[in-house]
Amino acid sequence: MAVSGRSPGLNHLAFHVESRAMVDTLAERAPRHGWTLLFPQRHPHAGGERHYAAYLEDADGFEVELVAPETSPRT
């Protein structure tokens, strides 16, 4: 039975990484370690325009989010 992202329980774990470049590097290397990029058509802004992250899933259905630090808004 597939679990919906709206069901009770853990949906995914999020990890803060040091930079956008690190998000990109980890997302690029992830398939070599059994992870698939989720939402590739919206990557790296699947969480919104100001949210830079990679959403990954492994063969067992575990999901992780790798989040870059928020950048200052331009004025």
Side-chain angles (χ1 to χ4, degrees), residues 41-58:
Q41 70 283 6
R42 294 172 38 207
H43 173 75
H45 297 288
E49 268 311 300
R50 296 183 65 210
H51 188 73
Y52 199 95
Y55 293 85
L56 303 166
E57 180 178 41
D58 73 0

Side-chain angles (χ1 to χ4, degrees), residues 13-74:
L13 292 175
F15 298 93
H16 288 265
V17 298
E18 65 185 43
S19 66
R20 288 179 174 209
M22 182 60 74
V23 168
D24 295 338
T25 298
L26 292 170
E28 178 185 323
R29 293 178 182 175
R32 293 182 232 161
H33 301 282
W35 293 88
T36 302
L37 182 65
L38 296 171
F39 321 112
Q41 70 283 6
R42 294 172 38 207
H43 173 75
H45 297 288
E49 268 311 300
R50 296 183 65 210
H51 188 73
Y52 199 95
Y55 293 85
L56 303 166
E57 180 178 41
D58 73 0
D60 293 319
F62 290 101
E63 296 180 21
V64 296
E65 176 184 2
L66 306 174
V67 184
E70 191 172 325
T71 58
S72 301
R74 293 183 181 164

